[in-house]
Amino acid sequence: MKTVCRQVLSDVFKLTDILLLITALLIADVISNQPVSISRLADVISPRISVFNGVLGTLILLIWHLVFLWFGSYNSKRFISLFDEFILLLRAVFFCTVLLAVIDYLRPTELVSISFIYLFFWISLTILFSFRIFLRFVLGFLRAKGRNLRYILIAGTGKRALAYARYMEKNPQIGYSVLGFIDNEWHGETPLGTGMPQIVCSFEDFSSYLRDNVVDEVVICLPIKTCYQKILMILKIAEEQGTVIRMSTDLFNLKAAKSRVEHIDERNPLITIVTGAMYRRMVLVKSLIDFAASLLLVVILLPVFIAAALAIKFSSRGPVFFKQSRVGMNKRVFEVLKFRTMVTDAEQRLEQIAHLNERKDGAAFKIKMDPRVTPVGKILRKFSIDELPQLFNVLKGDMSLVGPRPLPIRDFNEFNEDWQRRRFSVKPGITCIWQVSGRDNITFEQWMKMDMRYIDEWSLWLDLKILLKTVPVSILGVGAS
């Protein structure tokens, strides 16, 4: 009975999407072709009615439905965030909009125009996403009341298994009820309290328990190294009886790295292990922001570029810009661009003054009163003007506006702690936490820890805060030499 109800609800969901897409078509047509008036709705629809248009319209709706199925719009969303669902919906609606434009290109009509396509995209996306938000709220409410539940078994009683069970108990809106654990003995730090799920069967009794009880899913939270044969047995039994199997991706007790499942194709899922908070889709957003903001800054700061270039050219012999090989993301070497602040033979004189390095606790080379710096160079460095040409590195894609500072190859080769090299797992930036936290007044180890903190806590909001702090620090020349 529950399966039938679930199927009926799924069909209603799909039908509602079709009706909402039709509604988006009508609204877009009214706004783009007629004065916005409900009374004119019949005038909008009547000229479109014909046998051919009816068949074509039905075919378009069918294709749109298949597109939504293809993008997984009707798969279970219990474990998918609202943002992820929005991305799925965005792709499906975009594909449907493009399809509509292609069909109109092949058979032009008065209905479709550029404004109509634009309106249809945004209207359909808005009403479909609003419907999904409403649906999440209703389903969450019903699940919290004990309706529409899925019953699960958890294989294992270790730390991961207990954490999973507690999460399900604290989030009833997800709609999962934990029947209990599969294990031969308790391995958790402390048994769960009265009323909480307990061990309901051993590994040997799992097949009979699954046969005689309502079990929708089995979640495996066992260590692979010591329990491989048990995991294999559970997989075979669950597969044989057609029960859904889930496996925890936190398999290796890693401290900083996080794991997630990705797919090469339907038959080749991969567990991807990454460190930090920068996931693929957000890195794309960050890159788009970097490009747009850098382009805008280059235009706005053009007078500063010109003034700095003239000051360098007339104050000392040599080129305006300085290029140096730096280590970027995943150890890629690129040419960083800066305004020249030193004499032209500064690189050759480095070994002569290496003993003056004030950073005795790490790999970086720094001297407050570096004799190679020109008078104009001191001013450019104090206010970070020498860093501005790196905006072109950002436009090229080698750098980001915010990220760990790119280091010269010489400094990279001096690293003696592997954990410090994790700073090269993201794009280097023009500014970072270190830049706005004292710069030369902090130790090398503190600097590296700040970079790790940035990688682990990264968000677009954090980037914005660092950028806003960079402006006064640069103007006041805090911590610069």
Side-chain angles (χ1 to χ4, degrees):
M1 184 64 182
K2 285 186 177 181
T3 303
V4 174
C5 290
R6 192 177 293 116
Q7 184 60 50
V8 170
L9 289 173
S10 177
D11 291 339
V12 170
F13 183 20
K14 295 170 185 176
L15 179 61
T16 303
D17 268 357
I18 295 296
L19 294 176
L20 291 176
L21 285 169
I22 294 173
T23 302
L25 279 171
L26 294 175
I27 296 174
D29 190 19
V30 169
I31 296 176
S32 61
N33 296 303
Q34 300 286 344
V36 181
S37 172
I38 300 299
S39 63
R40 301 294 296 274
L41 189 58
D43 296 332
V44 171
I45 297 175
S46 57
R48 322 291 186 203
I49 297 176
S50 70
V51 175
F52 180 82
N53 285 344
V55 173
L56 181 62
T58 302
L59 182 61
I60 290 173
L61 291 176
L62 177 61
I63 294 174
W64 280 352
H65 175 64
L66 293 176
V67 167
F68 273 67
L69 286 174
W70 183 41
F71 280 101
S73 298
Y74 305 117
N75 296 340
S76 175
K77 301 296 187 299
R78 292 174 192 256
F79 291 114
I80 293 181
S81 68
L82 189 61
F83 178 82
D84 286 334
E85 187 169 8
F86 174 76
I87 295 299
L88 286 174
L89 185 64
L90 177 65
R91 291 172 180 170
V93 171
F94 178 77
F95 198 96
C96 290
T97 306
V98 170
L99 183 63
L100 182 64
V102 169
I103 292 174
D104 180 71
Y105 176 78
L106 297 175
R107 187 183 182 278
T109 65
E110 294 180 1
L111 170 65
V112 181
S113 62
I114 294 177
S115 61
F116 173 85
I117 293 292
Y118 179 82
L119 285 168
F120 171 73
F121 173 77
W122 287 110
I123 292 171
S124 58
L125 182 63
T126 300
I127 60 177
L128 287 169
F129 187 56
S130 298
F131 174 63
R132 277 154 175 75
I133 293 175
F134 170 75
L135 199 61
R136 275 183 175 248
F137 174 79
V138 172
L139 290 175
F141 176 79
L142 291 175
R143 289 165 183 164
K145 296 295 182 180
R147 306 294 297 273
N148 189 32
L149 297 180
R150 291 183 68 80
Y151 297 98
I152 63 171
L153 281 176
I154 301 176
T157 54
K159 188 180 296 184
R160 295 192 199 95
L162 296 184
Y164 191 90
R166 289 193 177 102
Y167 179 81
M168 291 302 171
E169 293 291 335
K170 292 179 180 177
N171 294 274
Q173 73 280 1
I174 296 176
Y176 276 83
S177 177
V178 180
L179 297 170
F181 300 91
I182 310 166
D183 213 326
N184 292 338
E185 59 181 302
W186 192 265
H187 293 95
E189 294 178 0
T190 55
L192 294 175
T194 305
M196 296 291 284
Q198 306 294 330
I199 294 176
V200 294
C201 67
S202 64
F203 292 111
E204 292 74 22
D205 296 332
F206 171 61
S207 180
S208 59
Y209 185 90
L210 194 61
R211 188 185 312 120
D212 299 332
N213 293 274
V214 176
V215 179
D216 293 304
E217 299 180 13
V218 177
V219 180
I220 299 176
C221 299
L222 292 166
I224 289 181
K225 183 177 180 180
T226 56
C227 298
Y228 176 77
Q229 291 300 327
K230 292 175 181 177
I231 292 173
L232 190 61
M233 179 194 72
I234 291 171
L235 289 172
K236 286 183 177 179
I237 292 172
E239 181 186 34
E240 186 178 51
Q241 299 195 33
T243 305
V244 174
I245 308 161
R246 297 185 189 272
M247 285 192 68
S248 169
T249 58
D250 182 21
L251 302 173
F252 309 107
N253 291 319
L254 298 172
K255 294 180 180 179
K258 303 177 183 67
S259 58
R260 63 176 183 266
V261 176
E262 296 182 325
H263 291 78
I264 297 176
D265 55 42
E266 291 183 357
R267 294 182 176 273
N268 291 285
L270 296 175
I271 294 179
T272 302
I273 298 173
V274 295
T275 58
M278 294 191 191
Y279 297 119
R280 189 172 298 169
R281 61 177 177 270
M282 295 310 296
V283 170
L284 176 60
V285 174
K286 178 178 169 71
S287 297
L288 292 173
I289 293 173
D290 281 338
F291 184 85
S294 297
L295 191 61
L296 181 63
L297 286 171
V298 167
V299 174
I300 294 174
L301 297 173
L302 188 58
V304 179
F305 274 83
I306 295 173
L310 291 174
I312 295 169
K313 196 64 181 176
F314 290 115
S315 64
S316 63
R317 297 170 59 183
V320 170
F321 296 106
F322 168 72
K323 291 182 179 181
Q324 186 183 50
S325 295
R326 297 286 179 100
V327 181
M329 184 176 177
N330 294 328
K331 323 303 186 303
R332 289 178 176 84
V333 177
F334 69 99
E335 296 292 317
V336 74
L337 188 66
K338 301 177 70 174
F339 280 124
R340 182 175 61 84
T341 59
M342 294 185 177
V343 294
T344 54
D345 62 343
E347 291 288 287
Q348 290 72 31
R349 292 171 56 182
L350 180 61
E351 294 302 322
Q352 300 174 15
I353 60 172
H355 64 284
L356 299 176
N357 186 11
E358 295 172 6
R359 286 203 181 277
K360 305 299 183 183
D361 60 341
F365 181 86
K366 205 72 177 178
I367 304 174
K368 285 188 177 180
M369 302 300 292
D370 196 323
R372 301 171 298 164
V373 178
T374 64
V376 169
K378 290 181 180 179
I379 298 173
L380 297 180
R381 285 186 164 209
K382 184 172 182 62
F383 300 103
S384 299
I385 296 173
D386 61 318
E387 310 282 1
L388 291 182
Q390 291 171 48
L391 290 170
F392 294 104
N393 288 111
V394 178
L395 291 173
K396 188 180 176 183
D398 292 326
M399 291 179 63
S400 178
L401 287 175
V402 184
R405 290 291 298 144
L407 294 179
I409 295 175
R410 176 192 177 280
D411 292 352
F412 170 76
N413 290 334
E414 294 294 324
F415 273 49
N416 53 24
E417 296 282 348
D418 281 341
W419 68 267
Q420 297 169 352
R421 292 185 174 87
R422 190 157 68 91
R423 74 189 306 278
F424 301 104
S425 64
V426 299
K427 277 187 182 180
I430 297 177
T431 184
C432 198
I433 297 176
W434 168 73
Q435 295 285 101
V436 297
S437 303
R439 300 167 72 177
D440 299 333
N441 299 323
I442 61 175
T443 66
F444 179 78
E445 185 170 352
Q446 287 175 321
W447 175 11
M448 294 299 105
K449 287 181 177 178
M450 286 179 180
D451 286 343
M452 300 306 116
R453 195 177 104 206
Y454 171 77
I455 293 170
D456 292 333
E457 299 177 4
W458 176 83
S459 67
L460 293 175
W461 174 240
L462 178 60
D463 274 5
L464 179 60
K465 288 196 291 186
I466 292 173
L467 287 170
L468 292 176
K469 288 182 179 180
T470 299
V471 176
V473 168
S474 298
I475 292 175
L476 298 174
V478 178
S481 60

